[in-house]
Amino acid sequence: MAPQKGNLMTYRKDIQVVDATIRDGGLCNNFYFDDEFIRDLYTTNLESGVEYMEFGYKASRDLFNPEEFGKWKFCNDDDIYEIVGENDTDLKVCVMADVGRTNYKRDIVERSNSPVDLVRVATYINTMPAAIEMIEHCAKMGYETTCNIMAVSKAHREDLLEALDMIGKSPADAVYLVDSYGSLYPEEIRNLSEMYLEQMDKYGKKVGIHAHNNQQLAFANTIEACSVGVSMLDATMNGMGRGAGNCMMEQLLGFLKNPKYQLPPVLRFLEQHMDKLREDGVQWGYQTAYLLTGRLNMHPRAAISFTKEKRHDYARFYLDMDQE
């Protein structure tokens, strides 16, 4: 078992916090955030000491109809510039590019002509070659890159080790442990974190974690990974994210002991914006249906439908899902 890095009285300078509110939260409202929300979120991240702010996806307009989504599904550089200007700050801008859903050769231009600093390439274990190709392109364009292997709870250990080796040999700066279904427990997160760290240490690369809250373990899993050396930590305001949501930014910043992180700006943002989103009908956060898909290690789409239909027949839902 890997030794714990630091304790509750100390902080590690290598930790970097990534705000994924717009990108993961955008899955709850089809990315329809107004500019005031985005500007205030940018200011909040600056004031709170967060290192990276993810603005959304670089989705292809050939595959997704722009009339059905807000602009942060596509993250045009001009739209980001309208929020951050020249971004003469320590906060870095990032976007996510999904394998198979991004026209990266057309839409990801030279870093010198873009407000984006980091491109996070999202892939499943079976599309690793395409992910490596995207990472190589983005690195050549001058960006920082990460490889986010989704649905890791479904991956075989041998395949995962091979994927980590591919990432290690690529230009990627970091690899992400992604608990897409919110099905993993802290002990499993620790074991996977140790595997990721061991593989990435060979290549001098970082490891990050992106957790989902189906079993109310997103925060626990994030700090468990952090305790053994994972250093890029994803969180969202009030946990806003697909289905059960993510590790809450207010929890994470309340836990981290680095004095650079400030909690009051986040709390003010919650007061001003997050309650209103819920009042307007945007849904996210732990519910029993998400617990059940998490327990069964399943994609939460069935639980999302269950919730939208305002069903409460949890036992029937569970039995139906368990038979698939």
Side-chain angles (χ1 to χ4, degrees):
M1 181 177 288
Q4 186 158 311
K5 300 208 173 175
N7 58 52
L8 293 179
M9 295 297 291
T10 64
Y11 69 88
R12 298 201 335 254
K13 293 182 179 179
D14 62 314
I15 287 175
Q16 296 172 306
V17 175
V18 180
D19 171 47
T21 305
I22 307 174
R23 202 272 309 163
D24 215 320
L27 296 168
C28 303
N29 66 349
N30 284 343
F31 301 90
Y32 285 115
F33 297 102
D34 60 39
D35 285 355
E36 180 185 6
F37 181 99
I38 304 297
R39 288 195 179 94
D40 286 355
L41 181 57
Y42 173 68
T43 301
T44 296
N45 284 319
L46 284 173
E47 293 177 348
S48 62
V50 166
E51 282 85 2
Y52 290 89
M53 178 173 168
E54 189 175 43
F55 273 73
Y57 285 100
K58 273 282 188 184
S60 172
R61 291 173 179 266
D62 301 328
L63 299 176
F64 298 94
N65 185 352
E67 295 182 1
E68 297 177 2
F69 299 93
K71 57 189 173 183
W72 305 110
K73 176 78 170 179
F74 308 98
C75 281
N76 291 339
D77 285 351
D78 288 345
D79 290 329
I80 299 176
Y81 273 127
E82 285 187 13
I83 302 298
V84 306
E86 292 303 314
N87 191 31
D88 186 21
T89 73
D90 292 331
L91 177 66
K92 293 185 177 182
V93 171
C94 60
V95 295
M96 180 163 281
D98 265 342
V99 168
R101 298 181 178 183
T102 304
N103 190 333
Y104 62 94
K105 292 181 180 178
R106 180 190 67 194
D107 295 335
I108 298 179
V109 301
E110 291 277 354
R111 164 69 187 88
S112 58
N113 298 322
S114 172
V116 176
D117 300 288
L118 165 65
V119 177
R120 309 210 299 174
V121 175
T123 181
Y124 291 103
I125 197 80
N126 64 325
T127 53
M128 281 303 304
I132 297 299
E133 189 175 286
M134 288 177 66
I135 288 166
E136 290 173 344
H137 171 83
C138 294
K140 186 177 180 180
M141 292 292 102
Y143 296 93
E144 298 175 34
T145 58
T146 70
C147 186
N148 295 35
I149 306 175
M150 299 182 289
V152 69
S153 56
K154 291 283 192 181
H156 296 295
R157 179 181 175 85
E158 295 77 12
D159 292 340
L160 193 51
L161 285 169
E162 179 65 24
L164 292 174
D165 191 57
M166 293 170 69
I167 295 165
K169 293 173 180 175
S170 80
D173 297 284
V175 61
Y176 259 83
L177 195 175
V178 185
D179 182 16
S180 301
Y181 303 159
S183 65
L184 297 173
Y185 296 98
E187 183 177 354
E188 295 170 299
I189 289 289
R190 172 178 279 264
N191 292 338
L192 284 167
S193 296
E194 290 173 355
M195 185 203 316
Y196 277 53
L197 289 162
E198 181 181 358
Q199 297 303 310
M200 290 303 105
D201 281 350
K202 299 176 185 177
Y203 300 98
K205 300 180 186 294
K206 297 178 288 188
V207 177
I209 182 167
H210 180 86
H212 277 264
N213 204 38
N214 298 61
Q215 301 191 86
Q216 300 211 82
L217 291 171
F219 174 60
N221 284 341
T222 298
I223 65 174
E224 182 71 13
C226 176
S227 74
V228 296
V230 170
S231 57
M232 296 188 76
L233 312 178
D234 280 18
T236 63
M237 298 295 168
N238 205 213
M240 185 183 187
R242 184 204 64 202
N246 307 103
C247 176
M248 295 187 184
M249 183 67 75
E250 56 270 31
Q251 281 187 298
L252 185 60
L253 295 193
F255 167 80
L256 296 173
K257 295 301 181 285
N258 190 333
K260 71 168 286 188
Y261 296 125
Q262 298 295 313
L263 186 57
V266 172
L267 299 178
R268 285 193 290 270
F269 184 84
L270 301 187
E271 294 171 15
Q272 295 166 5
H273 292 285
M274 302 311 293
D275 288 346
K276 183 178 185 303
L277 281 179
R278 291 187 187 276
E279 290 168 2
D280 289 344
V282 181
Q283 295 185 351
W284 73 89
Y286 171 82
Q287 293 189 39
T288 304
Y290 296 125
L291 163 70
L292 299 176
T293 57
R295 185 181 186 279
L296 294 171
N297 194 18
M298 297 175 63
H299 192 287
R301 62 175 64 90
I304 293 172
S305 296
F306 180 97
T307 302
K308 286 181 177 179
E309 293 168 8
K310 298 183 178 179
R311 290 172 56 186
H312 299 283
D313 53 330
Y314 302 115
R316 170 52 54 194
F317 176 74
Y318 178 61
L319 291 171
D320 288 344
M321 292 298 100
D322 199 26
Q323 292 171 3
E324 291 189 2

